Amino acid sequence: MLTFRIPLKPAAFLILWLFFCLWAERLHGAESLSGTEPLIVAQDYAWPPFAFLDERGQPQGVLVDLWQAMGRQMGRDVVFFLTDWKGSIEAVREGKAHVHGGLIASPERSEFFDFSADILPVQAFIFVASAGMPLDLSELRGRKVGVTEGSYEQEFMEKEYPDALLIPFSNNERMIQAALAGKMDLFVADYPVGLYLLDRHGSPGVFHPLKMLYSRNLAAGFPRGNEALQEALDVCLATLSKEEIRRLTQRWMRSEKVEVLPFWFWPGLGFGIFFLVSSILAVYSLALRRQRRWLLGEVERKNAALRQSEAEFRLLFENAATALMVHDRETCAVIHANRRAVERHGPVAAPGGVHTQMWTESPYTFEDAQRWFARVREEGPQRFEWKSRTVAGPECWEDVHLHEVRLSGVLRIVSTAVDITERKKIEKDFQDAKRALEAANLALQESEVRFRSLADNTAAGIYVLQGRRFKVVNPAMSQILGYEEQELLSRDLSFFVHPDDRALVLSRARDRQAGLGVPPRYEMKVLTRDGLARWVEVSAVSLRYQGRPAIFGTFFDITERKEAERLREESMALLRKVSVNIPGVIYQFRMRADGRSCFPYISSRIREILPVSPQDLAKDAGPLLSRIHADDLSSVYSSMRVSAHRLLPWRAQFRVRYTSGAYRWCEGQSTPEKEKDGSVVWYGYLVDIQDWKDAQDRMTHMALHDTLTGLPNRILFEDRAGQILVEAQREQRAFALVFIDLDHFKPINDTLGHGIGDQVLKEAAVRIREHIRASDTAARIGGDEFVVLLRGLHDRGDAEKVAEKIRRALKNPIVVGERPLQISASIGIALYPEHGQDLITLTTHADRAMYSSKKRGRDAISFYAEALTAK
């Protein structure tokens, strides 16, 4: 920590001088405040470091110090009314406090508050528990998020993230304590407030700032219509210097402790450090020498052992009875081969050779070997048997092991091949003998025994039919029809056939026994003992049984399959009816592994979008994908790739060119599934959202524009001002901020009514807009206050010309009905970069210049430099 030592006499003089200054200032403050009503400032009591109560119950914080400084400038005592956030706003509304010490302006608050000039910038972040990372803000649906009740953070989250489940707390401290207790893993707070309270009650590492939600400026809020208080606060804020605000801010954002050390501390500390470092270096040098000697000896011993191990391994490698080879893992080229491998395969196994001749054309090729090598890289060690060709020419069988090893820091594949030719020959002889024995045993069995064994153990019904009587039936036949074997043998065929199929079945049975051609396989319905109809599939061939013509056939019960087919047809019919009557397109979209895509199913309403049929899209999805707007195509493909890779639901909004040629916004949603062949199939729908988009654009316009005049409001003005400021900084160009306040408007509004006043404001907005360029911006930021941004200026004369045109236009009478009304304008101008290099400074300086015009008698134009001179 850097320290300073002040000599006694100057230090005593400095202390006495500071005491005198403080006494004089206190005396002056006592004189100026006597007889003046204290200014009551409402603020949150748990909002560190901006405002809070310390251990003694005293108000502390950046805003507390700032308001005390402002009170001294205004000549008024400042009394703080500290409560929770919602209560602090209610205190101002109910008259318990004159002003709110610092809050963000919003449309809701503007209904009952006026606001001063900006005080301090704040940035709100959404904090997430470390265990919950990573997280996307699109995943907030149903997630618990802590907010301070009545705060701007709550208003922002309700508008921007309506799907989030907001948990309100009376103040920031209780919210963060609840988050640390595990009641939720997300909360929204101003950045320094969140870090301050996390450090006080826990650890900042438990929660991390996920994303900045917005950056806004704090302003003082007070009941509407108190123009005197507003003017006093704005003048006071404009006179506070940047250095003083920075000093007040840094006091709470960063604190340092400074101690006075004796004069001998630094020399003594330096000598001590030098002596300590020298001693440590000497001892460390001796230790390094000893360690170096030990390490050299250890390295030599290790190298000797390694050389011996390498020699033993090479001896074993070269004299192994199996063929050993080391291959390049990509090309299969031989890098090392032992003596047995070279003897077996000859030069093709020599280092550097890709031995394609080692494999025969059947059953394996060199390409087969490459596939085995690829499996090693992907799946690990492999073992298989194949034929190879020896150097002598004959084919031989080998049992091959492939595994991956790292040699000299490089991955290689080692193959071990054991000759199993003799074993294969023995196995072949054994299999041949086994097959011959089985054939002999089968030849010894009677045909009827073979048939009966097969018939009794199959699930299919088997029968022999002569005339219209069964001669042979198996147990499965009895199970299908529900009759005993003797009952089946004693009854006519027609007894078991359903009346709907009886004539057809008897006709085919006669034709088959007569030797006429009939289908070998057909379906029919039969009647069971219970009187139920079941579907069976019949296969039949003609033969002779006991010397007479007969029919040999099988019965397969297919009732469940037929029922499934019926249900599927009903489901498809239902799907067709639903798809025709819902406002959108239902689809099944398949993307194959090779990139080709199609719609195996898409509802007929696709014809309302494209002049194609569902059958065309079943082959190729191109006709639909080609109609997506070029600006949206990359985002659609990118989101589908993410959905396919992570198997997450897909949702996207994009424009599609309809048959009429016009582009309309559509939204697609679907759920993916991965198939065995690597294809991904999405099931979802596509719906036209153009009307919703148009409504959203209208709502956006209403949110960013003044509803009365149609000019940009404060939010849009600040956004455009930020863009112009970045552009001016990048291109080193000047621009002007013009502040316009209508003179004599309040009497018109108070005496003639708000309706007449609104007409005056509308006409004033039209006249301002008529005298600026399309690249400039005019905005209404208050009741009768307007701001104009003039970009691309060459000198102050350009700004003055435009301001003069506006002043003259507003001075002309405004006729409402048949009544001419006379107003004028007080205009203040601040130039970039001459009068400020940020929006807050330029706005403050233009406002001060406007007040200078009012002091000069109104209906005037003043630059900020002139306002300083006038003051």
Side-chain angles (χ1 to χ4, degrees):
M1 182 72 71
L2 182 62
T3 60
F4 300 94
R5 186 174 183 271
I6 302 175
L8 179 60
K9 291 181 179 179
F13 174 76
L14 180 60
I15 293 171
L16 290 175
W17 180 76
L18 290 174
F19 177 77
F20 174 76
C21 292
L22 293 173
W23 175 79
E25 181 180 1
R26 184 174 183 86
L27 180 61
H28 173 73
E31 293 174 354
S32 62
L33 294 175
S34 61
T36 302
E37 179 187 5
L39 181 66
I40 302 176
V41 179
Q43 193 62 65
D44 187 357
Y45 73 92
W47 195 30
F50 294 105
F52 63 96
L53 293 175
D54 61 11
E55 296 82 356
R56 298 173 298 170
Q58 298 298 317
Q60 301 288 348
V62 179
L63 293 175
V64 173
D65 289 354
L66 182 61
W67 278 99
Q68 289 174 344
M70 291 172 61
R72 290 192 293 271
Q73 287 196 5
M74 292 188 293
R76 299 180 65 176
D77 282 333
V78 176
V79 177
F80 292 97
F81 185 91
L82 297 185
T83 180
D84 57 41
W85 186 259
K86 185 175 181 181
S88 65
I89 295 178
E90 294 298 327
V92 180
R93 296 185 63 180
E94 296 172 359
K96 298 179 182 178
H98 297 121
V99 63
H100 195 287
L103 73 170
I104 296 174
S106 69
E108 291 80 0
R109 293 171 177 172
S110 297
E111 294 179 0
F112 49 85
F113 275 171
D114 281 338
F115 298 94
S116 70
D118 295 335
I119 298 177
L120 291 173
V122 293
Q123 294 177 338
F125 277 73
I126 184 166
F127 289 76
V128 61
S130 301
M133 296 285 281
L135 177 67
D136 192 333
L137 290 187
S138 63
E139 303 172 0
L140 290 184
R141 179 184 292 273
R143 298 290 294 272
K144 293 183 179 179
V145 182
V147 293
T148 303
E149 185 177 11
S151 66
Y152 183 78
E153 295 95 308
Q154 184 178 11
E155 294 182 15
F156 180 87
M157 291 299 293
E158 288 174 348
K159 291 180 181 179
E160 300 297 329
Y161 299 98
D163 293 336
L165 180 59
L166 301 184
I167 309 299
F169 293 88
S170 59
N171 57 60
N172 286 278
E173 188 165 18
R174 291 181 179 176
M175 175 182 68
I176 292 178
Q177 286 176 337
L180 292 171
K183 296 183 179 179
M184 70 266 186
D185 56 2
L186 292 163
F187 67 84
V188 180
D190 297 318
Y191 185 74
V193 176
L195 295 184
Y196 193 102
L197 292 173
L198 283 172
D199 184 60
R200 174 187 291 181
H201 297 289
S203 171
V206 179
F207 278 80
H208 290 282
L210 176 62
K211 181 180 179 182
M212 184 178 76
L213 299 178
Y214 59 81
S215 178
R216 300 286 189 273
N217 290 303
L218 295 178
F222 43 86
R224 294 177 61 86
N226 195 341
E227 296 182 354
L229 179 58
Q230 181 175 14
E231 182 175 359
L233 293 177
D234 288 346
V235 171
C236 185
L237 287 171
T239 56
L240 281 176
S241 64
K242 290 184 178 179
E243 289 74 20
E244 186 172 3
I245 294 177
R246 185 180 299 109
R247 177 182 63 79
L248 293 174
T249 304
Q250 289 182 346
R251 177 189 174 192
W252 296 102
M253 299 302 180
R254 181 186 63 195
S255 61
E256 296 180 352
K257 182 179 179 182
V258 179
E259 299 177 353
V260 178
L261 299 177
F263 72 94
W264 49 264
F265 179 78
W266 289 111
L269 179 62
F271 177 76
I273 293 175
F274 174 76
F275 178 76
L276 180 61
V277 171
S278 300
S279 302
I280 292 174
L281 289 176
V283 174
Y284 184 63
S285 178
L286 291 174
L288 284 179
R289 291 195 186 111
R290 292 187 61 187
Q291 187 177 16
R292 180 175 179 275
R293 288 194 298 270
W294 180 82
L295 287 175
L296 290 175
E298 190 68 18
V299 168
E300 182 59 31
R301 288 191 294 272
K302 294 289 185 182
N303 285 338
L306 182 61
R307 287 192 295 270
Q308 181 178 358
S309 176
E310 182 180 0
E312 293 174 353
F313 172 76
R314 185 171 297 278
L315 182 64
L316 292 172
F317 179 80
E318 290 296 336
N319 293 280
T322 60
L324 298 173
M325 288 179 282
V326 179
H327 306 265
D328 183 275
R329 67 192 300 269
E330 301 296 337
T331 65
C332 307
V334 177
I335 298 174
H336 301 289
N338 69 347
R339 186 181 306 164
R340 179 61 174 168
V342 175
E343 290 175 352
R344 176 177 291 275
H345 301 293
V348 294
V354 180
H355 44 296
T356 60
Q357 299 170 352
M358 290 174 59
W359 295 279
T360 61
E361 292 297 327
S362 178
Y364 298 109
T365 65
F366 178 62
E367 287 71 19
D368 295 322
Q370 288 182 314
R371 283 192 288 272
W372 282 110
F373 276 74
R375 290 187 182 179
V376 175
R377 296 191 297 267
E378 297 170 359
E379 304 173 8
Q382 301 291 323
R383 179 178 180 179
F384 51 92
E385 297 175 356
W386 61 12
K387 283 184 180 180
S388 66
R389 189 185 302 277
T390 65
V391 68
E395 296 179 348
C396 67
W397 279 92
E398 291 182 322
D399 184 6
V400 181
H401 294 250
L402 298 179
H403 61 279
E404 200 171 37
V405 298
R406 186 177 296 277
L407 300 176
S408 301
V410 180
L411 286 175
R412 306 293 189 192
I413 293 180
V414 176
S415 66
T416 304
V418 178
D419 189 345
I420 58 172
T421 305
E422 290 299 324
R423 193 194 76 190
K424 282 290 186 180
K425 184 178 180 181
I426 294 173
E427 289 178 355
K428 183 177 180 301
D429 294 342
F430 175 77
Q431 291 295 334
D432 292 343
K434 183 179 179 182
R435 283 193 293 269
L437 180 60
E438 290 174 351
N441 289 333
L442 290 176
L444 296 176
Q445 296 177 5
E446 293 289 340
S447 300
E448 186 175 353
V449 174
R450 294 201 308 269
F451 171 76
R452 177 59 62 181
S453 176
L454 177 63
D456 290 346
N457 293 281
T458 182
I462 299 176
Y463 66 90
V464 175
L465 184 68
Q466 281 184 336
R468 294 172 57 172
R469 296 278 184 173
F470 291 112
K471 295 299 180 181
V472 177
V473 293
N474 70 337
M477 190 80 170
S478 299
Q479 185 177 0
I480 293 172
L481 295 175
Y483 292 96
E484 297 294 335
E485 180 179 352
Q486 291 302 320
E487 292 178 303
L488 292 174
L489 297 177
S490 62
R491 299 202 177 188
D492 189 272
L493 172 64
S494 61
F495 179 80
F496 306 104
V497 181
H498 194 278
D500 295 345
D501 299 332
R502 190 169 296 162
L504 177 63
V505 172
L506 294 177
S507 174
R508 287 187 174 179
R510 288 193 302 270
D511 293 343
R512 187 178 300 280
Q513 293 182 7
L516 301 177
V518 295
R521 187 188 302 268
Y522 56 92
E523 298 174 357
M524 69 175 187
K525 288 185 289 184
V526 296
L527 292 173
T528 65
R529 176 185 286 275
D530 299 331
L532 300 177
R534 298 191 67 84
W535 279 94
V536 295
E537 182 180 75
V538 180
S539 299
V541 294
S542 299
L543 51 72
R544 296 188 69 81
Y545 178 72
Q546 296 179 349
R548 295 175 57 195
I551 297 175
F552 172 80
T554 58
F555 261 43
F556 288 93
D557 191 337
I558 59 171
T559 305
E560 293 182 358
R561 190 192 77 188
K562 297 291 285 187
E563 182 65 17
E565 290 177 356
R566 184 185 64 81
L567 293 176
R568 184 172 65 84
E569 288 297 327
E570 291 179 356
S571 299
M572 290 301 295
L574 178 62
L575 179 60
R576 285 192 290 269
K577 292 180 181 179
V578 171
S579 64
V580 169
N581 290 282
I582 64 172
V585 176
I586 301 175
Y587 64 84
Q588 179 191 40
F589 176 72
R590 173 178 282 112
M591 181 178 290
R592 297 185 176 89
D594 59 4
R596 292 181 298 153
S597 59
C598 64
F599 288 91
Y601 173 79
I602 190 165
S603 60
S604 59
R605 297 196 71 156
I606 190 63
R607 291 191 177 93
E608 297 178 4
I609 302 177
L610 303 176
V612 295
S613 66
Q615 292 74 20
D616 296 333
L617 295 175
K619 301 175 183 177
D620 181 17
L624 176 56
L625 299 180
S626 63
R627 287 179 171 261
I628 298 177
H629 197 285
D631 295 342
D632 303 333
L633 197 58
S634 61
S635 63
V636 171
Y637 277 119
S638 176
S639 62
M640 292 200 70
R641 283 194 294 270
V642 172
S643 175
H645 178 68
R646 301 175 62 184
L647 293 181
L648 294 175
W650 173 78
R651 180 178 182 179
Q653 295 180 358
F654 49 89
R655 289 160 287 180
V656 177
R657 180 165 51 86
Y658 274 54
T659 306
S660 62
Y663 279 97
R664 292 182 64 85
W665 279 97
C666 295
E667 181 179 75
Q669 293 190 34
S670 58
T671 302
E673 292 181 359
K674 196 155 189 175
E675 297 185 330
K676 294 181 179 180
D677 62 354
S679 300
V680 179
V681 179
W682 285 266
Y683 300 90
Y685 69 91
L686 182 71
V687 65
D688 189 314
I689 61 169
Q690 185 64 49
D691 295 339
W692 177 81
K693 276 285 185 181
D694 293 341
Q696 189 180 47
D697 292 342
R698 290 193 295 271
M699 292 176 63
T700 302
H701 183 273
M702 292 172 62
L704 298 178
H705 291 77
D706 179 43
T707 57
L708 179 63
T709 63
L711 294 178
N713 59 15
R714 183 184 294 273
I715 297 174
L716 183 55
F717 164 73
E718 291 179 353
D719 180 71
R720 291 187 180 176
Q723 297 177 10
I724 294 174
L725 185 63
V726 172
E727 177 185 304
Q729 291 172 347
R730 182 178 66 249
E731 300 179 2
Q732 298 296 313
R733 301 184 65 179
F735 69 89
L737 192 151
V738 182
F739 204 103
I740 304 170
D741 187 88
L742 301 183
D743 302 325
H744 314 299
F745 172 75
K746 192 173 186 304
I748 295 174
N749 201 45
D750 293 342
T751 58
L752 300 180
H754 293 294
I756 301 296
D758 290 347
Q759 294 299 321
V760 172
L761 289 175
K762 289 181 181 179
E763 179 60 25
V766 171
R767 296 183 181 185
I768 292 172
R769 191 157 42 197
E770 287 176 347
H771 291 86
I772 63 175
R773 299 167 298 179
S775 60
D776 299 331
T777 298
R780 180 188 177 206
I781 62 173
D784 58 349
E785 294 179 345
F786 299 85
V787 177
V788 178
L789 287 170
L790 302 176
R791 63 200 305 172
L793 301 179
H794 295 90
D795 53 36
R796 63 178 286 167
D798 293 343
E800 189 171 13
K801 290 178 183 178
V802 177
E804 179 62 22
K805 291 179 182 179
I806 296 174
R807 186 192 68 78
R808 290 179 181 176
L810 294 175
K811 190 173 182 181
N812 294 329
I814 296 176
V815 179
V816 179
E818 297 181 356
R819 182 194 301 269
L821 301 176
Q822 186 69 49
I823 65 169
S824 61
S826 295
I827 301 177
I829 304 175
L831 301 175
Y832 172 87
E834 180 179 348
H835 298 151
Q837 299 186 13
D838 59 79
L839 180 59
I840 296 176
T841 304
L842 288 171
T843 305
T844 303
H845 290 173
D847 185 58
R848 291 185 63 183
M850 183 273 293
Y851 277 107
S852 177
S853 296
K854 284 189 176 293
K855 292 177 180 178
R856 288 168 52 194
R858 297 183 173 85
D859 191 23
I861 300 173
S862 299
F863 283 85
Y864 172 65
E866 297 169 354
L868 292 179
T869 304
K871 182 178 177 182

